[in-house]
């Protein structure tokens, strides 16, 4: 580390700060990346070890414990007034001295605030208090973390080879001693699938959506030219979870023509509240079976194919093909396209998650093209958006 490097990063931070103040898309994400770069340049190895291997695991463990006791919810209720640690300890049934130590660490990690001896929520902890975040914390701590922790022993056993993509047993199976593939295990072990659905909703939270202006031109590419005589659906969200994408899509294009269809597994569809009040029609559908909604303008698959190896990804696309109207229906793959030269943290972090859970990988552009073209589709265009790890690959039947 040199003072020159630090000054150089600081100059970039200042310029990006101006862009952020002007509301430029991607500026916030660049500020975070530059801040991380600055820390990496300044931090000593001993400080890195302390932060990454003690402070952050202890923070995650304390947050997981806080979920069990609804500590963030109680602090949110207390508002700006805050709560004395003794009072909070009594409410949640924890020894006051223990609570003070754990919460002090969360204050040091900027997860909570401390003022006049009282613990106070901040915008981060209030976010974490929301039900989807509470469930996501359970998913990340209870399921993801053991899977990632098993990398050293799993890969030692594998003689440091990448697992064959079609192989079922991976780090997740080693961690849980289960022969079941990840999604089957989630299904068989409630409420883990629900926790996972919450995790997906949180993963999306605040990130640019593919249908935002400047990302994918929905008006020009989907709405213009929509023809109900070909098919009544404007968009079918295949494996769309509980519909978070489609709720936002419908809000943005509230006078859109045609129907919006949401498809997912039975149990996920069953979780959707007040189905009649939703802007979509929810249907349980297994994407390994032929697509039942014919001739839609678009079939959106958001973070679906990245969960599967190449053979399974191809099967999912094959099952869409008979429903596609040539020259009209578009397949929209909203996926990470990994840069070989400048890997972004959001892309590599997701690559590690899916390696840990599913034994699969995030794909480069060349890899995507091989799969898409291999099933007789054609890439029309790849749309990117500043600050977004995900791109929108638009494809159609190859003629
Ligand atoms: C990574 S999540 C993506 C969810 C959503 N598209 C999003 O981007 O937030 C994968 C989704 O695929 C669903 N899924 C897994 N296997 C499926 C199957 N055979 N048929 C339909 N959906 C499936 C899961 O329930 C989950 O909602």
């Amino acid at each position: 580390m040199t003072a020159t490097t630090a000054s150089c990063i600081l100059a970039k931070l200042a310029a990006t700060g101006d862009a952020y103040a002007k509301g430029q898309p991607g500026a916030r994400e660049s500020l975070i990346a530059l801040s991380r770069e600055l820390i990496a340049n300044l931090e000593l190895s001993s400080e890195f070890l302390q932060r990454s291997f003690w402070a952050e695991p202890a923070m995650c463990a304390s947050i997981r414990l806080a979920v069990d006791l609804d500590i963030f919810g109680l602090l949110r209720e207390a508002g700006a007034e805050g709560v004395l640690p003794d009072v909070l300890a009594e409410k949640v049934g924890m020894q006051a001295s223990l609570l003070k130590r754990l919460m002090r660490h969360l204050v040091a990690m900027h997860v909570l605030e401390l003022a006049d001896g009282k613990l106070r929520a901040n915008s981060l902890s209030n976010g974490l208090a929301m039900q989807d975040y509470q469930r996501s914390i359970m998913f990340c701590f209870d399921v993801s973390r053991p899977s990632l922790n098993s990398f050293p022993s799993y890969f030692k056993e594998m003689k440091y080879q990448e697992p064959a993509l079609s192989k079922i047993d991976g780090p997740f199976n080693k961690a849980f001693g289960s022969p079941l593939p990840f999604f089957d295990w989630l299904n068989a072990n409630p409420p883990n699938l629900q926790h996972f659905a919450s995790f997906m909703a949180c993963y999306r939270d605040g990130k640019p959506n593919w249908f935002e202006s400047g990302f994918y031109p929905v008006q020009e590419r989907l709405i213009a030219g929509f023809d109900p005589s070909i098919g009544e659906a404007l968009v079918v969200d295949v494996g769309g979870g509980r519909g978070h994408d489609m709720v936002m899509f419908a809000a943005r294009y509230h006078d859109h023509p045609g129907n919006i269809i949401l498809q997912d597994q039975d149990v996920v569809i069953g979780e959707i509240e007040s189905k009649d009040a939703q802007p979509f029609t929810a249907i349980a559908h297994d994407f390994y079976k032929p697509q039942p909604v014919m001739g839609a303008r678009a079939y959106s698959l958001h973070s679906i194919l990245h969960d599967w190896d190449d053979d399974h990804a191809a099967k999912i696309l094959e099952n869409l093909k008979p429903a596609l109207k040539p020259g009209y229906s578009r397949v929209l793959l909203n996926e990470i396209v990994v840069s070989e030269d400048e890997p972004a943290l959001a892309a590599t972090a997701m690559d590690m998650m899916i390696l840990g859970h599913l034994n699969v990988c995030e794909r480069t552009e060349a890899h995507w093209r091989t799969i898409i073209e291999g099933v007789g589709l054609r890439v029309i265009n790849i749309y990117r958006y500043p600050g977004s790890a995900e791109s929108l690959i638009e494809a159609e039947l190859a003629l």
Side-chain angles (χ1 to χ4, degrees):
M1 183 270 296
T2 63
T4 325
T5 316
S7 310
C8 189
I9 299 170
L10 283 167
K12 283 193 212 160
L13 271 166
T16 314
D18 291 343
Y20 177 60
K22 288 181 192 139
Q24 199 170 298
R28 190 187 63 82
E29 293 84 349
S30 296
L31 278 178
I32 294 174
L34 284 165
S35 306
R36 288 207 176 102
E37 200 182 328
L38 183 66
I39 291 172
N41 273 276
L42 295 174
E43 200 168 50
L44 304 175
S45 302
S46 58
E47 290 163 338
F48 172 84
L49 191 70
Q50 177 190 49
R51 176 175 59 78
S52 305
F53 285 84
W54 332 333
E56 287 173 355
M59 172 188 72
C60 294
S62 303
I63 290 175
R64 175 66 183 87
L65 173 153
V67 167
D68 284 340
L69 301 177
D70 191 25
I71 287 179
F72 295 146
L74 291 167
L75 286 168
R76 183 180 53 188
E77 269 169 33
E81 182 57 25
V83 191
L84 285 168
D86 288 341
V87 174
L88 185 60
E90 172 128 16
K91 260 193 189 163
V92 301
M94 194 192 287
Q95 189 186 8
S97 57
L98 176 63
L99 180 130
K100 277 183 199 163
R101 289 175 69 188
L102 299 179
M103 296 306 115
R104 199 187 290 144
H105 185 53
L106 295 190
V107 171
M109 299 297 288
H110 306 286
V111 179
L112 291 177
E113 284 171 18
L114 185 64
D116 304 326
K118 288 181 174 174
L119 286 165
R120 261 207 326 237
N122 60 19
S123 61
L124 170 59
S125 69
N126 283 342
L128 299 181
M130 294 191 300
Q131 190 191 47
D132 271 342
Y133 278 88
Q134 298 270 296
R135 288 171 163 194
S136 298
I137 291 163
M138 291 191 255
F139 172 74
C140 292
F141 193 86
D142 302 351
V143 181
S144 304
R145 201 166 185 121
S147 305
L148 297 172
N149 280 347
S150 77
F151 276 14
S153 55
Y154 173 75
F155 286 111
K156 188 172 189 180
E157 239 172 56
M158 293 291 291
K159 307 216 178 318
Y160 301 106
Q161 305 297 309
E162 234 181 335
L165 288 180
S166 57
K167 241 177 138 244
I168 285 170
D169 58 323
F172 161 80
N173 304 87
K174 172 134 184 96
F176 287 87
S178 167
L180 291 178
F182 177 68
F183 282 117
D184 294 356
W185 183 90
L186 291 179
N187 235 326
N189 289 279
N192 285 299
L193 189 62
Q194 285 84 343
H195 289 181
F196 176 76
S198 291
F199 164 74
M200 285 313 302
C202 292
Y203 168 64
R204 300 270 167 256
D205 192 15
K207 299 211 169 79
N209 294 304
W210 61 265
F211 40 83
E212 227 140 88
S213 79
F215 202 150
Y216 179 74
V218 170
Q219 182 61 42
E220 293 87 329
R221 303 295 299 163
L222 301 188
I223 294 180
F226 170 73
D227 184 348
S229 70
I230 298 175
E232 287 173 8
L234 176 69
V235 184
V236 180
D237 192 1
V238 182
R242 293 183 314 223
H244 39 266
D245 271 10
M246 290 302 102
V247 166
M248 286 186 284
F249 180 92
R252 185 165 190 98
Y253 299 97
H254 47 86
D255 52 358
H256 67 80
N259 303 331
I260 296 177
I261 313 282
L262 174 82
Q263 298 175 336
D264 208 291
Q265 303 182 91
D266 217 0
V267 61
V268 178
I269 294 294
E271 267 253 300
I272 300 169
E273 285 165 14
S274 325
K275 284 199 190 58
D276 294 342
Q278 301 293 348
F280 51 73
T281 306
I283 307 174
H285 168 63
D286 176 357
F287 50 50
Y288 284 108
K289 301 213 168 107
Q291 174 57 241
V293 180
M294 306 299 286
R297 182 69 162 140
Y299 296 85
S300 163
L301 286 81
H302 192 173
S303 302
I304 298 300
L305 301 189
H306 85 149
D307 286 341
W308 303 93
D309 64 43
D310 291 3
D311 291 347
H312 284 85
K315 277 185 196 132
I316 294 171
L317 291 177
E318 292 282 6
N319 275 301
L320 273 183
K321 275 177 66 186
L324 303 179
K325 165 87 177 162
Y328 174 78
S329 299
R330 310 192 190 291
V331 176
L332 306 178
L333 305 176
N334 193 193
E335 293 281 3
I336 288 172
V337 178
V338 179
S339 159
E340 304 262 24
D341 307 322
E342 288 183 49
L345 177 65
T348 59
M350 185 51 92
D351 192 38
M352 294 299 101
M353 273 300 230
I354 61 176
L355 172 61
H357 293 152
L358 297 153
N359 245 355
V360 291
C361 65
E362 293 299 348
R363 299 175 170 107
T364 59
E365 182 175 336
H367 196 164
W368 278 118
R369 284 184 183 274
T370 307
I371 295 175
I372 293 165
E373 287 160 15
V375 296
L377 298 179
R378 164 183 102 82
V379 174
I380 305 172
N381 203 349
I382 301 181
Y383 295 84
R384 296 180 168 86
Y385 190 82
S388 172
E390 291 178 351
S391 301
L392 199 280
I393 307 172
E394 184 192 51
E396 65 176 358
L397 275 177
L399 296 175

